[in-house]
Each structure stands twice: as structure tokens, then as C-alpha cells.
Amino acid sequence: MREYQFEGRRFTPGRGTFRTDRQGMDRLAAARRLLAVGNNLAFLRFFDDFPLQPIADVWDDTRSGGFNESKIYVVQTGVKVIERCVQLATDPGDLVLDPTCGSGTTAFVAEQWGRRWITIDTSRVALALARQRIMGAKFPFFTLADSDEGRKAEGLPPATTTGDLRHGFVCKKVQHVTLKSIANNPDIREGMTRDEIDAAIKRHADFELLYDQPLEDKSRVRVAGPFTVESLSPHRSVSFDEADDLRSGAVEADQPSFEQSILANLRAAGIQNGRKSERLTFESIDAHPSAYIQAVGTQKDTGDRVAIAIGPQYGTVSASFIKAAAKEAIEAGAPLVAVLGFAFDPQLGVETDDEGFAVVAGVRDLGRVKVLVVRMNVDLLMGEELKKTGTGNLFTVFGEPDLALTRVGDQWQVEVRGVDVYDPTSGEVRSNSTKEIALWMVDTDYDGESFFVRHAYFLGDNDPFKSLKTALKADIDPDAWATLYRAVSVPFDAPSTGKIAVKVINDYGDEVMKVLEVR
């Protein structure tokens, strides 16, 4: 329409046309929504027509600090930033992938907003932190659209529901009065009162769904659902251009090999077992020609010999590797073998006697040897660039769990007393306190292949669930809660397999497993 009469004047829209037809313009006039501004005819809007505005590309409300969200972790991304990205790009039930876990904010947000998630990191510390953060979190319980409560909240008749998360949540709705909804409103007529006009507009106005404001059930509390923590052997992808550089003889003669670089750093840094006064340092390290033992070192002060076995650069150290290295250490006359690796199979299963000596083939004929499992820092893969970062704790020890299995009536229970760590100053294996243990789990019917978490307990100096306990307050049973933070397991039935497995994880994410026979 190119022309319209309003309040005795003739108006035209310029070069275009009005946004509705004559009937629509009459309804806008009857609703008192037209306004003459000079020679133009404008649509009159009120603030409560739609008291919100779309989110643009500048998010001023996502900064941390001040009156906004506080930053807890150094590597933490603002929760509101991730929330907004997740809500913009995904729906409930979708899968969110975060290849840089950090403090686990993306996984935390995805869990809160009903998304499945996978988070990845090369750092064991990051994964341990994220695991603790998610397991200790309390989330709001959003009402599912596919539920009896959801249908009731939306004013829908009763029907069969399945609780399918993919149907989304019941979200807050806000009326959005637009020019189109008024122009097409059949209830608006000339001569209506203001109240009658407003009621007619509300009856036919559209609704906007606020996806970031789901309906929360205040009477219910939600914690994280079940999830797994899995690991892969360290590896790297090789491009076609790099392939030629990896062929035999392609490395420059003056460039140190992987083993040479590790031994050089080991000679300078030594091995740290958790106490500053108990660092194992070397007077010298000499090469040793064998399949598993690359060198034999001499300890400072004591002069004892230490066999050194370096695990694969891009792989996991297995139980068979450790047993073979222990046998070669016996043949080399070293009472201690340090097995170095970036990653270890948690199911190492290297048997030791009561004094901490490894039990390997031929031990009665050749002697006995202690095995020291040493975790190498991934910074060692930086090669020459490591000089810029300093040595730090490049080689650290996480010992074997000190466990006690006892019978309780017709059942059994296991106690974790600490972690057995080798003391190089005395040459003895001693048990540390449980404060170094963040989490320990029990498979009460271990089949020898897969570890199933049937019991999980938390230890350490700081209760990882303290914040959750504070938040839940009276919503939990204190006695039931105490069963999660303890060094002695709840009694369990004798395993059908005759074995149980205990997996212990420290604050750095290092884990080790020990298998016990139940007789």
C-alpha cells in the first residue's frame, strides 16, 4: 500500500510500501499504535511490548572479577562465556567436545546444561582438577519438557512421557508484541477501550522462549552423572614431510638422541620422591649395553648403583617391560632399578615381597632388586627448548599403595595406609600418609582385565567435597557422606574371581593399581 489517511493527513512510505495492508493499518490505528512524526508515520512501541533485547557480538557481562564471576583457577575461562557458546551452538543431549580441558569449565558447563561431553588434555593435573571439580559440583535441576512436571508447567494435557533430555527443558516465555501481531489481530476494532485493546493484543501476541532461563525445580538437587576417565599412550602424528627425517641415519650427528637427552636431564635434576631431603641424585651415569637398561648410575653420598631403564618416547610402559628391566638390573649387579616413563599401564602387576623387592624370573639365582617407577614430565619432550623452562620436577616417584585386607565376619574390607616410597637416603621403602592420595577406588570382583569402579573414596588434606557439603547442607545424610571420605572401605562380599583390585590416584593425576588375592 502506497498511501494511508491518518488523523486527517495523507502519509506515504517514501519509495517503498507500508509493511502491512489497509486492514492492518486500520487495526494499528484502532490500537493507537500509529504516531505522526513530521511527514512520516511511525509504529508506536512500548517498553513492555518486549522487555528484552537480542544478545549482540559484544558480551560486556562475561568479564571475571569485580561484581561478576570470580576466577578460581589460573587457566579458568569464564563460565558465562562457555555457557553462552554452548547455548548458542547446541541443544540438550548434544555432544560437546573440548580438546583443551584446562580446569574443566566446558565439561562443567556441558554437564550443568544437559549436554554430553568429552574433554581432553595432555596434562594429568588438568584432568585430575577437572574430575575433582565436576564430582564436587552441585547443579540446578531443570524441569524436562518430556516429563509429567514439564507438561503440567506448560499447560499441556497428561500424556506418556519418557524423560528424553533431547526434548529440552521447560524454559521461561516472554510475550513479544510486534507490528505484525497487532496488524493481523482479528479482535481489534474501532472504539475499544485501552484495557480492551491491551487484552486483545496479549491474546494474539507471540511468545519468545528464553533458552538460558529454564524452569528450575528448587526442591531437587542434581550432581554430576556417571562419566569415565580414560587415557591413551603418548603418541604423535607424523606428516609426510617428517617421515624422511625419521629414517635411519637422517638425524644429524651432533643432535642428541632421545635417550641421551633424558640421561643428561636425569644427571642434572635427579629423581624427586615427594620430599626435598630425599631427592635421589647421581654422581655419574654411564651407558650400559643391554636391551632394557640404558645406563647405570652411581648415587651421591651412598655410592650405590642404580640401573636406569627408559620407557618408550611415545608409548606406555608395560608390566613385561618392568620385569625384563628388573632381571637385567639383577644381572648388572644393581640393587635398584629406576624405570622411567611418560605413561604407565595402571595394571602393572609387578609383584613385590614384604621388603619391597621385585619378584622376577631367576630371582633366587641372581639376587633381588627394588623397582622404582619414575614418571617423566612431558616437558622433556621439548628437547633443547627445555633449557628455557628450567628443570623443575622432571622425574618424580609415585610408589605402590600400602594396603591391608581384613575379614569382617563373612565379608572383607580393605584399608589404604598410604603409598610405599623408596627413600634413597636410607635405602628403605617406607609408607607415606594418605594425604598424598586424592582418590582411591576398589573393584571388589576383579576379572584380571577390566577395572570396574564398585567403591570410590576420597582422601588428602582437603576434602574435595567440602564445598558441595556446604551447599547441600541438610540435604544429605552425614553418616552416608562419611562413607565417601575414608581410608577403610565399606565391607564387601568375597569376590567370585578370588581377586580384588585397588586403584590409587594422587593430586597430580598419577595412578597405580594393585591386585590382591582374597582367600
Side-chain angles (χ1 to χ4, degrees):
M1 189 179 68
R2 292 282 304 153
E3 184 178 313
Y4 185 72
Q5 294 285 338
F6 179 69
E7 294 181 346
R9 298 175 59 188
R10 184 177 66 87
F11 292 91
T12 61
R15 291 179 296 180
T17 62
F18 287 109
R19 296 171 61 185
T20 185
D21 56 16
R22 183 171 298 280
Q23 185 182 38
M25 294 295 289
D26 290 341
R27 287 170 176 164
L28 290 169
R32 303 168 195 171
R33 288 302 188 108
L34 293 180
L35 179 66
V37 181
N39 295 325
N40 299 315
L41 196 58
F43 173 56
L44 183 62
R45 300 176 188 271
F46 295 104
F47 179 77
D48 58 358
D49 283 348
F50 188 53
L52 300 171
Q53 61 182 11
I55 297 174
D57 57 352
V58 178
W59 300 347
D60 290 330
D61 59 334
T62 60
R63 291 174 292 185
S64 61
F67 294 101
N68 296 305
E69 171 197 349
S70 59
K71 191 171 183 179
I72 303 173
Y73 307 102
V74 175
V75 294
Q76 178 179 341
T77 305
V79 170
K80 189 172 286 188
V81 174
I82 304 300
E83 279 185 351
R84 194 158 291 168
C85 292
V86 167
Q87 291 162 2
L88 284 170
T90 66
D91 294 318
D94 284 353
L95 179 62
V96 176
L97 172 65
D98 178 15
T100 53
C101 174
S103 63
T105 302
T106 300
F108 177 89
V109 169
E111 180 70 27
Q112 175 179 342
W113 289 93
R115 275 68 168 174
R116 296 172 297 140
W117 50 268
I118 298 174
T119 186
I120 305 169
D121 210 295
T122 58
S123 169
R124 302 184 309 279
V125 177
L127 295 179
L129 179 64
R131 172 171 47 197
Q132 223 173 43
R133 181 180 181 185
I134 294 171
M135 292 183 71
K138 181 192 76 168
F139 302 104
F141 190 95
F142 300 139
T143 302
L144 294 175
D146 186 24
S147 67
D148 295 338
E149 298 87 349
R151 294 187 65 83
K152 184 178 179 181
E154 294 188 292
L156 299 175
T160 302
T161 58
T162 61
D164 191 344
L165 179 62
R166 292 171 294 182
H167 290 207
F169 305 118
V170 177
C171 296
K172 182 180 178 182
K173 297 178 181 178
V174 177
Q175 275 198 316
H176 190 178
V177 177
T178 62
L179 180 150
K180 180 180 179 181
S181 67
I182 298 177
N184 295 333
N185 193 325
D187 295 345
I188 295 178
R189 300 179 304 276
E190 189 70 37
M192 297 174 70
T193 65
R194 180 77 264 172
D195 291 341
E196 291 174 335
I197 292 171
D198 291 342
I201 289 175
K202 288 183 178 180
R203 281 196 301 271
H204 292 273
D206 295 328
F207 282 88
E208 297 286 354
L209 215 56
L210 306 183
Y211 290 98
D212 61 341
Q213 297 184 37
L215 179 65
E216 182 180 350
D217 186 348
K218 299 286 187 179
S219 66
R220 303 165 78 175
V221 175
R222 188 171 68 86
V223 294
F227 63 90
T228 63
V229 180
E230 302 179 12
S231 63
L232 296 174
S233 301
H235 66 282
R236 62 171 175 170
S237 299
V238 180
S239 66
F240 290 110
D241 293 336
E242 291 180 293
D244 289 340
D245 296 335
L246 297 178
R247 71 184 189 278
S248 179
V251 180
E252 296 180 9
D254 58 347
Q255 183 177 348
S257 66
F258 167 70
E259 289 78 10
Q260 290 173 335
S261 176
I262 294 298
L263 293 175
N265 282 288
L266 180 63
R267 185 182 297 108
I271 299 173
Q272 181 66 48
N273 75 344
R275 294 188 179 182
K276 187 176 181 180
S277 60
E278 296 180 5
R279 182 183 295 270
L280 194 157
T281 56
F282 296 93
E283 186 70 40
S284 63
I285 295 179
D286 301 315
H288 183 78
S290 64
Y292 293 91
I293 302 298
Q294 284 82 11
V296 175
T298 302
Q299 289 190 59
K300 286 185 178 179
D301 301 328
T302 65
D304 292 338
R305 289 163 58 83
V306 180
I308 300 168
I310 303 174
Q313 183 175 3
Y314 300 101
T316 300
V317 177
S318 64
S320 60
F321 181 96
I322 294 181
K323 290 178 180 178
K327 187 173 182 179
E328 288 189 357
I330 293 172
E331 295 172 347
L336 173 67
V337 57
V339 181
L340 283 52
F342 291 109
F344 292 86
D345 183 350
Q347 304 180 40
L348 288 177
V350 179
E351 298 178 3
T352 57
D353 60 22
D354 294 337
E355 299 178 16
F357 290 98
V359 178
V360 298
V363 66
R364 295 179 180 175
D365 298 331
L366 299 174
R368 300 185 300 176
V369 61
K370 286 188 173 74
V371 177
L372 194 62
V373 177
V374 181
R375 181 85 65 173
M376 294 193 292
N377 193 311
V378 292
D379 289 347
L380 288 164
L381 292 172
M382 297 168 58
E384 293 298 313
E385 294 297 320
L386 184 63
K387 294 179 180 178
K388 302 176 183 178
T389 65
T391 56
N393 287 331
L394 297 179
F395 304 91
T396 56
V397 176
F398 182 49
E400 185 179 65
D402 182 10
L403 306 173
L405 183 65
T406 56
R407 181 185 286 274
V408 181
D410 294 333
Q411 294 183 305
W412 295 82
Q413 67 180 180
V414 62
E415 177 185 2
V416 57
R417 298 172 175 173
V419 176
D420 288 339
V421 177
Y422 177 75
D423 181 358
T425 60
S426 64
E428 299 177 351
V429 176
R430 57 171 173 75
S431 179
N432 277 347
S433 68
T434 58
K435 67 180 181 180
E436 296 179 357
I437 299 174
L439 167 69
W440 67 288
M441 300 168 288
V442 187
D443 183 348
T444 57
D445 197 18
Y446 181 59
D447 62 5
E449 296 181 359
S450 300
F451 184 93
F452 293 94
V453 180
R454 307 179 197 271
H455 292 205
Y457 306 100
F458 302 88
L459 293 171
D461 284 339
N462 299 315
D463 184 348
F465 284 91
K466 184 177 181 180
S467 60
L468 179 58
K469 289 191 293 186
T470 303
L472 295 178
K473 296 180 180 177
D475 295 335
I476 63 171
D477 181 349
D479 294 333
W481 187 265
T483 63
L484 296 175
Y485 193 75
R486 54 191 294 169
V488 181
S489 75
V490 173
F492 51 87
D493 295 332
S496 61
T497 60
K499 295 179 180 180
I500 68 168
V502 179
K503 184 177 289 188
V504 176
I505 302 175
N506 68 4
D507 291 325
Y508 297 101
D510 297 322
E511 61 181 54
V512 64
M513 188 179 80
K514 188 172 184 178
V515 178
L516 300 176
E517 292 189 358
V518 180
R519 298 175 181 174

